[in-house]
Amino acid sequence: SELDQQRILCILNTASWGGLVNELEQHMQNVHNEFEVLIGLDSPNHELEEQHWVTLWLNRWGKEESIAWIESKALENMKPWNSEEIWFCLSDFRENITKRSLGSRGRQVLDKLIPLLIGYLHKKEPSSMVLERVLVIFKKIVTRTAYLELLYENEGALKQLIHLCKASPWVADYIAKYPILLDELIDPELQNRPIEFSEYGFELHENMLRVPEDDLESQMDALRLFKQAQQLRIAAADIANILDVKQVSKHLTALARAIVNEVINLAWKQVTSRFGVPQSLLDSAELNTLNKGFGVIAYGKMGGEELGYGSDLDLVFVHHSKPEEMTTGETTNAAETSNTLADMKAMAPIMKSVPASQFYMKLAQRIMHIFNTRMASGILYELDMRLRPSGNSGLLVIHIDNYAKYQLEEAWTWEHQALVRANMIFGNTSINKTFDSLRGKVLTRRREHEKLKQEVLSMREKMRNHLDKSAGGLFNIKQGIGGLVDIEFLAQYLVLAHGASNHSLVNPSNNIAIFNKLNSIGVLRNAEKKVLIEGYERLLSLGHKATLQNDPLDIEPENFAQREDIIKIWNKIFQV
């Protein structure tokens, strides 16, 4: 109405209705242009798609008629399918969606999308397996019309989904588990390469700035979505052979490291809002975002930059607060001294002063909460804290001096083996120096070689008996004789055995770098180094591919050519 138009013109301080409409249309066109550049509207006119598959989908035929219809097209185009399996996939999907609440719009889009999918698969990927994987994802999104429309309107997104589902059942399951990742398929960069190692932290921080600081649930969801989106991007580059297995592991490690940093910052804000900060931090010349008096030590695959897609994080938390130190909160709560309930309600929350050791315990608990809470978007990472002093019965966070005392006086040999692949991934200069000094002392300690050898062999045998489940003549990539863990034990034993006379062995925490260093100081011959590195890389690649294909880690021994040579090196070094 004229009155409403004048009201809008008044609010917007605009002279004429015609001018406003023209300006709005220009803005809308600009947005449309950006949308077209990003998503693309170059898809062929789906209305012109062959009606053969539309007829198959829309008609309620029985098994025999449907199979005959599929076979007729397959024979015509010389693209044979297992028509019975195709019919079974479609029949199962149709039966599943009849139990779901689809709106009329969703039904219309689905009735166009399914024939489009079948037609594309028949032309390019005549596989019932791929159809089944894609339909599993469709079952998850069938009531979410926006996702159906995304795949129907954007041919590139649909093709990318089909390509990923064909290449990896793990990726297909991943997208089915987290359908929000379908949004990533419209990004052409997904098909190229992931971001640079150094950019993960920056991009994550930029993402988190968009989330309200007081909304922890949304922050936790944002962290999970970022991890899932980046893992999908890494997997796409992996599938396209843009990244080799070492690069994939480094990307996954850089991603995890960025997330650890962000989680610590989130937890820090929450805990300091309740208790203030440890007093010594106010007196420190390093008062900045890194100086929290708190450190995170990464072990295992995280420490050696060898994370896989489903890896957990082996972490230990330490701090270096002063004895008897308190936080900067109030020593008494004013609300507790109030005489009336009204006085107590009127008062703003007051930070409470607690011992610094308790403060760091609260911080560690908050970090664990952010990582481990199971949400609709899953958990963030599985944290394994068993390598802390005294294992699961030990404190969740320990003073760095007590950690050092434990490592020097009480730790078992297998704990020193683990220290070979340990790194401080979060902490200020002081706590880093303390850890590096400790690690150097432990790894360069003089040891009685025969005793060390027996302890390492004993631990390896216990692990193999407990974890090697391969049978039927198959070889377990990880725990089998001559497998990944044997190679890792060789690296750890040689570092502990020769660290006292070759302090440079302390520097690397990556197995390949360790073997190169052992060769450079004359402990390993060139041929031995070559076998161990090539064998290790081959096993990592086999394990990696098994994960993407949801396959077991047991393979035929002949598929790992270096195995016999690795066993020979093991027998030579351990004299068995």
Side-chain angles (χ1 to χ4, degrees):
S1 71
E2 177 68 25
L3 177 58
D4 286 338
Q5 290 179 10
Q6 291 303 318
R7 287 170 172 162
I8 292 174
L9 291 176
C10 179
I11 291 170
L12 297 179
N13 194 25
T14 303
S16 71
W17 184 255
L20 173 62
V21 170
N22 290 335
E23 185 178 356
L24 283 174
E25 288 178 347
Q26 184 59 53
H27 284 304
M28 291 166 67
Q29 185 60 45
N30 291 340
V31 171
H32 179 76
N33 292 342
E34 292 299 323
F35 186 86
E36 186 170 351
V37 168
L38 175 64
I39 296 182
L41 300 177
D42 298 325
S43 301
N45 186 346
H46 301 313
E47 297 298 327
L48 299 179
E49 287 288 327
E50 297 178 46
Q51 292 298 306
H52 191 91
W53 304 115
V54 175
T55 303
L56 171 67
W57 172 248
L58 293 182
N59 280 283
R60 299 286 177 168
W61 293 333
K63 177 178 178 180
E64 290 75 14
E65 295 94 335
S66 297
I67 292 175
W69 192 262
I70 295 169
E71 288 179 344
S72 67
K73 194 65 178 177
L75 292 172
E76 178 185 324
N77 285 4
M78 301 299 290
K79 293 277 188 179
W81 270 11
N82 186 324
S83 302
E84 186 169 352
E85 289 185 2
I86 297 299
W87 174 83
F88 177 79
C89 288
L90 292 174
S91 176
D92 177 71
F93 179 73
R94 181 183 282 121
E95 182 179 351
N96 180 275
I97 64 174
T98 56
K99 306 169 186 175
R100 314 287 288 278
S101 177
L102 278 72
S104 59
R105 185 176 177 184
R107 174 68 67 179
Q108 291 170 7
V109 177
L110 190 65
D111 286 344
K112 293 184 288 185
L113 178 59
I114 295 297
L116 178 66
L117 169 66
I118 302 170
Y120 181 82
L121 285 173
H122 184 248
K123 289 177 184 176
K124 302 293 183 180
E125 309 288 351
S127 166
S128 58
M129 174 193 69
V130 178
L131 175 62
E132 182 178 6
R133 292 175 185 172
V134 175
L135 290 180
V136 167
I137 295 172
F138 280 14
K139 288 176 184 177
K140 298 287 187 178
I141 64 171
V142 74
T143 58
R144 302 167 76 170
T145 305
Y147 285 139
L148 298 177
E149 289 179 329
L150 181 152
L151 294 172
Y152 177 69
E153 297 292 345
N154 185 349
E155 186 179 22
L158 180 61
K159 287 181 178 179
Q160 177 72 336
L161 176 63
I162 292 169
H163 171 66
L164 293 174
C165 287
K166 176 191 176 187
S168 169
W170 181 89
V171 172
D173 292 344
Y174 200 59
I175 296 173
K177 193 173 181 180
Y178 308 115
I180 196 171
L181 293 177
L182 289 169
D183 288 330
E184 298 296 314
L185 299 181
I186 65 176
D187 185 355
E189 282 298 309
L190 179 65
Q191 304 174 49
N192 297 327
R193 60 181 179 276
I195 61 180
E196 298 295 327
F197 298 129
S198 59
E199 293 295 308
Y200 285 107
F202 176 77
E203 285 219 5
L204 175 56
H205 187 65
E206 288 284 301
N207 279 14
M208 298 304 291
L209 289 176
R210 305 187 186 106
V211 183
E213 286 191 8
D214 58 349
D215 190 344
L216 178 60
E217 185 174 346
S218 294
Q219 290 173 330
M220 291 165 67
D221 264 328
L223 286 166
R224 285 154 175 75
L225 177 58
F226 181 82
K227 177 206 170 183
Q228 293 153 9
Q230 296 304 325
Q231 281 204 340
L232 179 62
R233 191 177 293 273
I234 294 167
D238 184 3
I239 289 167
N241 293 320
I242 292 169
L243 299 176
D244 62 27
V245 64
K246 289 186 291 185
Q247 292 170 316
V248 168
S249 292
K250 286 184 177 180
H251 274 283
L252 292 171
T253 304
L255 170 61
R257 189 164 184 163
I259 289 174
V260 168
N261 276 281
E262 191 64 31
V263 169
I264 292 171
N265 289 332
L266 290 179
W268 181 263
K269 290 177 183 176
Q270 295 174 36
V271 177
T272 55
S273 69
R274 293 178 58 197
F275 306 111
V277 301
Q279 184 63 47
S280 62
L281 298 186
L282 297 182
D283 305 328
S284 171
E286 281 191 293
L287 186 57
N288 54 45
T289 55
L290 280 179
N291 186 27
K292 295 177 168 60
F294 179 78
V296 178
I297 303 167
Y299 284 84
K301 290 183 177 180
M302 181 70 174
E305 293 190 322
E306 294 172 354
L307 282 184
Y309 291 111
S311 297
D312 55 12
L313 305 184
D314 295 302
L315 304 179
V316 170
F317 299 149
V318 294
H319 68 91
H320 64 28
S321 63
K322 296 179 179 178
E324 311 301 324
E325 182 178 357
M326 302 292 288
T327 62
T328 56
E330 298 291 337
T331 54
T332 58
N333 190 327
E336 294 175 356
T337 64
S338 301
N339 294 322
T340 67
L341 182 62
D343 289 340
M344 293 172 66
K345 290 182 176 179
M347 289 188 177
I350 296 176
M351 288 190 296
K352 179 182 177 182
S353 179
V354 296
S357 57
Q358 182 182 342
F359 170 89
Y360 285 116
M361 183 63 70
K362 296 288 186 183
L363 178 65
Q365 290 170 344
R366 180 53 52 176
I367 291 169
M368 296 284 287
H369 172 76
I370 294 173
F371 270 107
N372 291 340
T373 299
R374 188 165 297 279
M375 308 177 70
S377 48
I379 63 169
L380 192 50
Y381 283 97
E382 197 78 52
L383 294 191
D384 188 340
M385 310 292 292
R386 289 174 296 177
L387 282 168
R388 68 187 188 267
S390 302
N392 285 336
S393 62
L395 293 172
L396 194 58
V397 57
I398 186 171
H399 196 286
I400 187 68
D401 292 344
N402 293 334
Y403 172 82
K405 186 174 186 295
Y406 176 85
Q407 289 289 345
L408 292 170
E409 299 177 8
E410 301 178 48
W412 296 73
T413 296
W414 65 265
E415 292 176 285
H416 288 173
Q417 287 180 241
L419 206 57
V420 171
R421 288 214 296 169
N423 265 317
M424 180 75 73
I425 61 170
F426 184 93
N428 60 21
T429 304
S430 174
I431 207 165
N432 266 282
K433 284 182 177 179
T434 303
F435 172 75
D436 289 342
S437 174
L438 162 69
R439 184 169 175 271
K441 288 178 182 177
V442 171
L443 299 187
T444 59
R445 172 185 286 178
R446 293 202 173 275
R447 301 172 190 268
E448 201 279 297
H449 282 209
E450 193 58 36
K451 179 182 178 184
L452 173 65
K453 188 184 301 180
Q454 293 308 314
E455 288 176 341
V456 171
L457 286 172
S458 174
M459 175 53 65
R460 182 67 194 103
E461 193 61 28
K462 287 178 182 178
M463 286 183 65
R464 199 189 314 278
N465 292 337
H466 182 63
L467 299 172
D468 187 4
K469 305 299 182 183
S470 55
L474 296 177
F475 164 65
N476 185 269
I477 291 169
K478 188 173 182 181
Q479 296 293 343
I481 297 175
L484 275 171
V485 177
D486 278 357
I487 298 175
E488 290 172 353
F489 265 57
L490 279 170
Q492 293 161 9
Y493 167 74
L494 290 173
V495 169
L496 295 179
H498 297 277
S501 55
N502 297 277
H503 287 200
S504 61
L505 281 172
V506 170
N507 298 326
S509 63
N510 176 278
N511 285 311
I512 292 173
I514 289 171
F515 290 133
N516 280 320
K517 177 62 70 174
L518 288 166
N519 172 245
S520 71
I521 62 176
V523 174
L524 288 177
R525 292 193 293 232
N526 289 337
E528 292 171 332
K529 179 196 80 168
K530 185 172 184 290
V531 166
L532 290 171
I533 290 178
E534 289 182 357
Y536 193 68
E537 290 179 340
R538 171 67 175 155
L539 288 171
L540 286 177
S541 179
L542 287 171
H544 199 61
K545 289 175 181 175
T547 297
L548 287 178
Q549 296 303 321
N550 285 341
D551 288 338
L553 294 179
D554 296 331
I555 62 171
E556 297 289 344
E558 54 266 27
N559 290 337
F560 180 43
Q562 294 90 349
R563 186 186 180 208
E564 291 303 321
D565 289 331
I566 290 169
I567 293 173
K568 288 178 183 177
I569 295 172
W570 176 279
N571 291 340
K572 173 194 167 185
I573 290 174
F574 286 107
Q575 299 174 343
V576 294

